[in-house]
Amino acid sequence: MDIFQIGLYLMLSGVIPLFYAEWVGWPGDVLKRAEPPICDLEEAIERSFKYMISITLGMALFSTGTTMFIPLLGYIFWGITAIVLLWLRHGREQLKLKLQEARMKEAIAKGIEIGMKKANES
């Protein structure tokens, strides 16, 4: 097996995780909602992790295969992979911040409710 066959196999095997990523889907709809439920946010964070891993794996395999054929083009693909990974990580951090905000609002609401009960009792 020569280097070009290995590169071709790597490029082809990089496509499989990309299909999985499309099947999982990026949870962009949850990010657009003003106040999504906590269970939706937790599910979206899990889904975003699977999406990030599959996109990164697919792009990394494809970039490695491309580097074996045309090194300059492969390096460009590695740069694109890094940019996409940073963008996906930013989106995932936004989901985590929304989850923290939702949990804080829930805790404040429970605290107010407990305070109102104690005020009514006395």
Side-chain angles (χ1 to χ4, degrees), residues 114-122:
I114 291 171
M116 294 295 274
K117 283 182 183 177
K118 292 216 182 222
N120 288 337
E121 289 175 3
S122 56

Side-chain angles (χ1 to χ4, degrees), residues 6-64:
I6 294 171
L8 184 64
Y9 288 139
L10 283 172
M11 288 173 66
L12 291 176
S13 64
V15 174
I16 295 168
L18 296 177
F19 283 129
Y20 177 72
E22 289 305 312
W23 180 67
V24 170
W26 179 252
D29 56 332
V30 176
L31 276 172
K32 293 177 186 173
R33 284 193 241 157
E35 291 192 25
I38 290 178
C39 59
D40 285 352
L41 284 169
E42 289 172 344
E43 189 265 332
I45 289 173
E46 182 181 328
R47 216 169 74 196
S48 69
F49 182 70
K50 290 177 184 177
Y51 187 83
M52 275 178 51
I53 294 298
S54 58
I55 285 287
T56 305
L57 178 63
M59 290 182 77
L61 287 171
F62 188 82
S63 298
T64 304

Side-chain angles (χ1 to χ4, degrees), residues 4 63 65-77:
F4 295 111
S63 298
T66 307
T67 305
M68 291 181 174
F69 282 116
I70 306 167
L72 183 60
L73 187 63
Y75 299 146
I76 291 171
F77 277 124

